[in-house]
Amino acid sequence: MSGGEVAGILVAVFWAILVSFLAVALARLAQTLKATTKLVADVTDQAVPLLADASTAVRSAQTQIERVDAIASDVQEVTSNASALSTTVASTFGGPLVKVAAFGYGVRRALVGRRDDAPAKAPRRTVIVGRTVPAGRRKRK
């Protein structure tokens, strides 16, 4: 055997080893791709029902939001109607009730002042700039 033949055998052995390593690497890569494909298929099988459930939940939430919006608008309308009603009642009955109360107070004061058995009231004093002025001096002015 000459040196060229030995070198050819060595190159052939290295090529065989290299091809064996590449074949093992490709076989493992094929297994990894099969496992990945199976995993993606499983995730897809589980994700589709979850997405359908999520879609149903979103539709239900949208329906509830629409109901709450309708209730809120009704409450706002009732509030404005109650405000208008209270304003109307206050303007309709407020003035006359105040007048009736004032008239009743005046009548009561007039009746109390006409009683003969009622004791005479003490004269009122007026305070002017920090001092008291007797009622007699007030009448002279």
Side-chain angles (χ1 to χ4, degrees):
M1 266 210 258
S2 68
E5 291 176 347
V6 172
I9 291 176
L10 286 175
V11 169
V13 169
F14 284 126
W15 272 107
I17 292 173
L18 179 65
V19 168
S20 300
F21 282 129
L22 288 176
V24 169
L26 285 175
R28 289 191 178 170
L29 181 63
Q31 289 176 352
T32 304
L33 286 175
K34 284 181 186 178
T36 305
T37 303
K38 184 181 177 198
L39 179 66
V40 168
D42 290 344
V43 167
T44 302
D45 291 342
Q46 293 176 2
V48 170
L50 287 175
L51 290 174
D53 291 344
S55 176
T56 303
V58 167
R59 284 191 193 107
S60 174
Q62 179 65 26
T63 303
Q64 295 300 324
I65 287 173
E66 289 172 359
R67 287 181 184 170
V68 168
D69 187 36
I71 290 170
S73 65
D74 291 343
V75 167
Q76 184 178 9
E77 184 178 341
V78 167
T79 303
S80 65
N81 289 342
S83 175
L85 179 64
S86 68
T87 303
T88 302
V89 167
S91 65
T92 302
F93 296 116
L97 285 177
V98 168
K99 290 177 183 177
V100 167
F103 178 75
Y105 179 74
V107 168
R108 187 174 61 228
R109 292 280 297 196
L111 290 177
V112 168
R114 292 184 142 239
R115 288 188 188 159
D116 294 333
D117 58 349
K121 290 185 178 179
R124 294 179 58 191
R125 295 182 178 258
T126 305
V127 176
I128 300 175
V129 191
R131 53 183 201 156
T132 304
V133 177
R137 289 179 59 192
R138 249 189 325 165
K139 290 181 183 177
R140 282 188 251 154
K141 289 185 178 180

